[in-house]
Amino acid sequence: MNRRVCVAGVGMVPFSTPSKGKTYEEMGESAIRAALADSKVDYAKVGQAYAGFAYGDSTSGQKALYRVGLTGIPVVNVNNNCSTGSSALWLARQAVASGTAECVLAFGFEQMQRGALKPMWDDRPSVLERFDGVVSAVCDMDDNVPMAARYFGAAGLEYMSKYGAKAETFGAIAVKARKHAAGNPYAVFRDPLTLEEVMGSPHIFGPLTRFQCCPPTCGAAAAVVCSEEFARANGLPADVVIRAQALTTDTPDSFEGDLAKLVGTGMAKEAARQVYEESGVAPADIPVVELHDCFTVNELLTYEVLGLTPEGTAEKFVAEGDNTYGGQVVTNPSGGLLSKGHPLGATGLAQCAELVWQLRGQAGPRQVENATLALQHNVGLGGAAVVTLYEKVG
């Protein structure tokens, strides 16, 4: 798999709250058409499609794609929890890199219900049963606390105990997220927040308050990936490439009592290691990152997982502004999941779109100057972690 893979086009729709969202097929179609228009490729030349969604009936991908056209191409529906969109992109990239296809579409959408994430089936074993057991063994749990907030809140408490971090450090990440989102018309929440407002919002669990938890949202995003040869032959943009990418899952240490690893830091760290090794790029070389900030706790943990700052130093990293404009690396210029929202199937591809715009210099008021490398991190419990490195070339 040594063929260079270009991201020829990206597209997304503005994310919205469930009460204002459109249907999944409408959003999916709009995102697909936007990506095709951005790439300037005729849909008839797309050889495969990978559709990501976590909540929906089987073949929902076809339902959305058929609104664009009926060309008979293979369509694969992908569900990998919160990393669904990036998993679809990973599959699309593999198809092109291996020579199986020349031009592939990856898209994701989610028509979400209001309220916190919850299991959809109560007549069969939960996929997170083993995760629940680990958390329950190390801290008291309140069944009224949403499932994901229990995991990440407990991991936040563990980090505070281990390194002496203050609860306000997590809150400062939410303040930064809103500040970044102010320049993003695709984000749901763009109004600024003060640290006092963040910390004063309803307490959820551990260090987490309401404004430190990403909202359930509806949305869709898409990307067209192709070989460099296909791009040149068809006049498609070939200036942004996927330099390296890795998808990893849990290993035994995820379930040995370390709550950070339980919420995905172990598998994400391994994915990042593979990407850095494959590309020869070091964390210090990267000016912009879109990472999976489903909770402020996860953003802080991920700074260290991706090697942006040494283990145990994330609080200093936040306090010195190294996670924003004027600092070491701009994290989540889009506003991240905390402000943009988190429609599970769309999130990874929305991250892709933001980073492609950054590398092209098309990010408007949130543009990171002179960005030629960009890193993406997307994680789903259960579990799957995808890390992707993009590069501007030519």
Side-chain angles (χ1 to χ4, degrees), residues 53-319:
F53 58 94
Y55 299 111
D57 288 329
S58 183
T59 68
S60 289
Q62 282 91 326
K63 176 72 168 174
L65 189 60
Y66 286 178
R67 294 169 67 99
V68 179
L70 293 158
T71 59
I73 62 171
V75 180
V76 178
N77 291 274
V78 182
N79 181 344
N80 233 359
N81 221 335
C82 298
S83 60
T84 291
S86 289
S87 296
L89 180 65
W90 182 81
L91 288 166
R93 185 233 179 191
Q94 276 201 323
V96 173
S98 66
T100 303
E102 292 297 322
C103 182
V104 179
L105 174 68
F107 65 100
F109 51 76
E110 214 68 68
Q111 183 180 337
M112 295 188 71
Q113 299 175 341
R114 299 181 66 181
L117 299 181
K118 59 184 178 182
M120 301 303 292
W121 308 96
D122 59 8
D123 63 343
R124 63 204 66 184
S126 167
V127 296
L128 297 177
E129 185 175 19
R130 190 172 185 181
F131 293 76
D132 282 334
V134 174
V135 175
S136 298
V138 296
C139 66
D140 295 329
M141 301 306 301
D142 181 350
D143 289 338
N144 294 318
V145 177
M147 171 189 62
R150 296 182 200 176
Y151 297 164
F152 288 94
L157 289 173
E158 179 186 71
Y159 189 92
M160 293 169 70
S161 175
K162 188 173 183 179
Y163 296 111
K166 301 179 181 64
E168 288 78 9
T169 300
F170 299 104
I173 291 172
V175 175
K176 183 265 299 178
R178 287 294 188 94
K179 185 176 181 180
H180 288 186
N184 186 4
Y186 294 93
V188 176
F189 298 112
R190 301 194 291 272
D191 294 333
L193 284 173
T194 65
L195 183 59
E196 291 72 24
E197 289 172 325
V198 172
M199 302 308 294
S201 62
H203 180 252
I204 304 300
F205 188 77
L208 295 174
T209 61
R210 182 178 177 183
F211 286 143
Q212 297 181 62
C213 309
C214 71
T217 45
C218 299
V224 175
V225 300
C226 64
S227 67
E228 188 173 30
E229 295 78 11
F230 180 91
R232 303 295 184 197
N234 290 273
L236 275 59
D239 56 339
V240 175
V241 302
I242 297 177
R243 172 105 174 240
Q245 189 177 46
L247 188 158
T248 56
T249 57
D250 288 298
T251 53
D253 62 359
S254 295
F255 306 103
E256 293 173 353
D258 185 322
L259 295 178
K261 290 182 178 178
L262 184 78
V263 297
T265 62
M267 58 183 176
K269 187 172 184 178
E270 172 58 20
R273 184 198 66 77
Q274 291 180 27
V275 164
Y276 294 142
E277 182 177 292
E278 179 185 342
S279 66
V281 169
D285 299 328
I286 298 168
V288 58
V289 175
E290 281 283 310
L291 59 83
H292 194 91
D293 59 330
C294 50
F295 299 91
T296 55
V297 167
N298 203 43
E299 174 154 344
L300 183 139
L301 294 175
T302 303
Y303 295 153
E304 298 180 10
V305 165
L306 297 180
L308 305 179
T309 191
E311 183 177 342
T313 66
E315 183 168 49
K316 181 174 181 287
F317 186 75
V318 173

